[in-house]
C-alpha cells in the first residue's frame, strides 16, 4: 500500500478493488473453502532471485535510493513511465516478486499430487513486464514474471517456460530478458503503436533464441472476436509446438474497452475466455502448471470485474460477464486489419 502516487493510474487502490470484488462475488477462501487457497506466509524474493533477471547494480542502487525516497516522500526512477518510487517500493517489490515464486512452488507441488493442478494468481503490484534487465520502466520495478520463469527453471528443473502476455502494452522487459533464450517462449499480443512502441512483428528473438519470441501488434479497436482467433490460430499451435513445462501469464486488464490507457475493445467476457483457454492449454501440455501475474488495468471497476471473471474461469464457474458488459458501447472491430495481422504472424512463425 505504500507504493503509491496520488492520481497516478498505477495506484494502491488497484489490488484492494480486486479483493473487494472477489469478496463481494464470493470467490474467496471464506466462501469457497479449499477451492481457493490464499498463500498467507511467504518469503520476499532474494537479491539473487532478482539478479537472475536484473543487473545487480540496479537492485542495490534501488535499495540505496530508498533513503532519498524517505526524505522526499516520492522520487521518479524512470521518466518514460513515469515510474515512481516511495520509501517502501524496494521492500514491496521484492514481496511482489516473492509472491510469484511462492505460487510457482505451490502449483508445482500440487501438480505432483494430482494431474489437474490448481492455477496460481499473483494479485501483486508494482507490475513487472516493462522493467528491463538494467532498470525500471513503465510503472514497473522488477520483472515478476521473468524472475518466476528463471526460478521455475533453476529450482524446479522446469526447463521450458511459455509466457503469454495479454496486457494491452508490449511486455518489452520480459521480451528483452529472454530474447536469446531458446528455452523461454515469450508471446505477446498488444495494441499496435501503444507504449512503449516495441513489440513489432519482426521481433522474433535472436541467436539461439530466434523463433521463441512472438510479437503480435493488433490494430486499435480489436476485441473479443480478434482474441478468440489469436488464441486458436496463434497461441495454441505455438504452445503445442514448444511443449512447455509450465505456463506463466502476464495478465494485464488494460485492453478492456473501459480502460483509460488504451483503445482495444476487450470485454470482461474476453478475459473469461482467455483464462479458461489458458487453463485448458496448461492441462493439456504441462500437467496444469500455470501462474497468472497481475500487470496493468486502470479502470478499477473493469479491472476488478475482469479479475473476478478470470477467477470464475479458473474455478470452472460460468461467466457473469453479461451482468457487467454493455454491448452497446462496442463498435465494429477492424476485422480485415486483424486478419492481415494474424496471417502475417502465422507466415513469419510458420504456423
Amino acid at each position: 500500500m505504500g507504493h503509491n502516487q496520488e492520481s497516478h493510474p498505477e495506484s494502491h487502490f488497484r489490488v484492494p478493488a480486486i479483493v473487494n470484488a472477489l469478496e463481494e462475488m464470493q470467490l474467496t477462501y471464506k466462501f469457497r473453502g479449499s477451492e481457493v487457497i490464499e498463500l498467507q506466509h511467504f518469503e520476499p524474493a532474494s537479491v539473487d532471485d532478482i539478479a537472475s533477471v536484473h543487473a545487480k547494480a540496479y537492485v542495490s542502487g534501488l535499495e540505496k535510493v530508498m533513503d532519498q525516497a524517505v526524505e522526499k516522500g516520492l522520487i521518479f526512477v524512470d521518466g518514460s513511465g513515469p515510474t515512481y518510487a516511495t520509501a517502501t517500493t524496494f521492500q514491496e517489490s521484492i514481496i511482489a516478486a516473492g509472491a510469484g515464486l511462492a505460487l510457482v512452488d505451490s502449483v508445482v507441488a500440487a501438480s505432483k499430487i494430482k494431474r489437474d493442478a490448481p492455477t496460481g494468481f499473483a494479485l501483486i503490484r508494482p507490475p513487472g513486464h516493462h522493467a528491463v534487465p538494467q532498470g525500471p520502466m513503465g510503472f514497473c520495478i522488477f520483472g515478476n514474471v521473468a524472475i518466476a520463469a528463471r526460478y521455475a527453471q533453476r529450482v524446479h528443473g522446469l526447463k521450458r517456460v511459455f509466457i503469454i502476455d495479454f496486457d494491452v502494452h508490449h511486455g518489452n522487459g520480459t521480451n528483452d530478458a529472454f530474447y536469446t533464450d531458446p528455452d523461454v517462449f515469450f508471446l505477446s499480443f498488444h495494441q499496435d503503436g501503444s507504449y512503449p512502441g516495441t513489440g513489432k512483428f519482426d521481433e522474433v528473438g535472436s541467436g539461439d533464441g530466434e523463433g521463441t519470441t512472438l510479437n503480435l501488434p493488433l490494430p486499435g479497436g480489436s476485441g473479443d472476436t480478434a482474441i478468440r482467433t489469436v488464441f486458436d490460430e496463434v497461441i495454441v499451435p505455438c504452445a503445442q509446438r514448444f511443449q512447455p513445462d509450465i505456463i506463466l501469464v502476464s495478465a494485464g486488464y488494460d485492453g478492456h474497452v473501459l480502460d483509460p490507457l488504451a483503445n482495444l475493445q476487450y470485454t470482461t467476457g474476453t478475459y473469461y475466455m482467455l483464462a479458461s483457454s489458458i487453463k485448458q492449454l496448461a492441462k493439456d501440455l504441462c500437467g496444469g502448471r500455470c501462474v497468472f501475474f497481475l500487470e496493468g488495468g486502470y479502470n478499477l471497476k473493469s479491472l476488478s470485474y475482469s479479475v473476478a471473471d478470470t477467477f470464475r474461469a479458473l474455478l470452472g464457474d460460468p461467466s457473469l460477464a453479461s451482468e457487467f458488459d454493455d454491448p452497446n458501447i462496442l463498435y465494429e472491430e477492424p476485422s480485415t486489419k486483424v486478419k492481415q495481422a494474424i496471417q502475417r504472424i502465422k507466415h513469419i512463425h510458420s504456423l
Side-chain angles (χ1 to χ4, degrees):
M1 293 301 282
H3 180 78
N4 184 55
Q5 182 197 351
E6 209 173 316
S7 75
H8 192 289
E10 209 295 285
S11 76
H12 66 187
F13 296 115
R14 295 177 66 233
V15 172
I18 294 168
V19 173
N20 290 343
L22 294 173
E23 284 280 326
E24 272 169 34
M25 297 179 202
Q26 303 192 352
L27 294 166
T28 57
Y29 173 76
K30 192 165 96 185
F31 301 100
R32 301 297 293 251
S34 62
E35 281 186 293
V36 181
I37 299 161
E38 194 175 332
L39 297 187
Q40 300 283 4
H41 307 288
F42 56 87
E43 294 296 312
S46 69
V47 169
D48 285 347
D49 291 327
I50 290 168
S52 67
V53 170
H54 296 286
K56 268 206 160 119
Y58 162 47
V59 183
S60 54
L62 183 71
E63 196 171 11
K64 285 193 186 99
V65 299
M66 287 298 97
D67 297 343
Q68 220 177 309
V70 172
E71 279 166 40
K72 297 183 176 165
L74 185 92
I75 54 172
F76 283 95
V77 286
D78 164 58
S80 79
T83 312
Y84 63 84
T86 64
T88 57
T89 293
F90 183 80
Q91 192 56 31
E92 292 181 6
S93 299
I94 59 174
I95 291 171
L101 306 187
L103 282 169
V104 169
D105 288 341
S106 302
V107 164
V108 171
S111 74
K112 289 174 179 165
I113 301 160
K114 47 185 175 183
R115 273 197 60 226
D116 189 10
T119 310
F121 198 118
L123 288 172
I124 53 174
R125 48 176 298 278
H129 73 153
H130 293 309
V132 291
Q134 298 304 323
M137 185 174 167
F139 311 168
C140 300
I141 304 294
F142 295 139
N144 302 314
V145 163
I147 292 163
R150 285 288 179 236
Y151 180 85
Q153 291 177 319
R154 191 175 70 251
V155 175
H156 295 290
L158 299 171
K159 187 184 175 196
R160 296 174 74 72
V161 183
F162 193 79
I163 300 172
I164 299 169
D165 187 327
F166 62 67
D167 191 279
V168 77
H169 306 105
H170 176 236
N172 60 296
T174 319
N175 180 100
D176 293 359
F178 305 115
Y179 206 63
T180 59
D181 190 335
D183 293 323
V184 179
F185 196 111
F186 174 68
L187 187 154
S188 174
F189 52 99
H190 43 270
Q191 186 182 331
D192 192 10
S194 65
Y195 178 88
T198 50
K200 306 284 188 229
F201 287 96
D202 59 3
E203 291 177 39
V204 297
S206 68
D208 290 344
E210 191 175 334
T212 54
T213 296
L214 182 149
N215 284 298
L216 174 53
L218 291 167
S222 299
D224 197 73
T225 308
I227 299 314
R228 284 174 192 275
T229 313
V230 168
F231 201 88
D232 294 342
E233 295 190 16
V234 180
I235 298 175
V236 171
C238 269
Q240 286 172 337
R241 188 164 70 186
F242 185 70
Q243 289 293 310
D245 298 313
I246 188 169
I247 296 174
L248 304 179
V249 184
S250 269
Y253 292 85
D254 38 7
H256 198 286
V257 64
L258 297 176
D259 198 275
L261 295 196
N263 299 100
L264 293 186
Q265 297 192 86
Y266 300 178
T267 62
T268 313
T270 310
Y271 293 112
Y272 180 91
M273 178 273 297
L274 275 170
S276 168
S277 306
I278 291 168
K279 182 182 164 83
Q280 186 60 47
L281 196 60
K283 193 177 170 180
D284 294 344
L285 298 177
C286 54
R289 288 185 292 273
C290 180
V291 181
F292 283 64
F293 294 73
L294 183 66
E295 297 284 2
Y298 306 103
N299 173 316
L300 296 180
K301 220 167 166 101
S302 63
L303 168 67
S304 47
Y305 269 81
S306 299
V307 174
D309 231 42
T310 298
F311 270 50
R312 284 194 194 92
L314 301 178
L315 286 161
D317 289 6
S319 169
L320 292 183
S322 59
E323 292 182 12
F324 180 70
D325 289 335
D326 176 7
N328 298 320
I329 62 171
L330 301 174
Y331 51 95
E332 197 180 337
E333 290 186 44
S335 51
T336 307
K337 280 185 181 169
V338 169
K339 203 171 173 181
Q340 285 166 347
I342 291 172
Q343 286 313 117
R344 187 172 168 191
I345 205 72
K346 284 169 75 172
H347 175 70
I348 291 169
H349 287 271
S350 311
L351 295 169

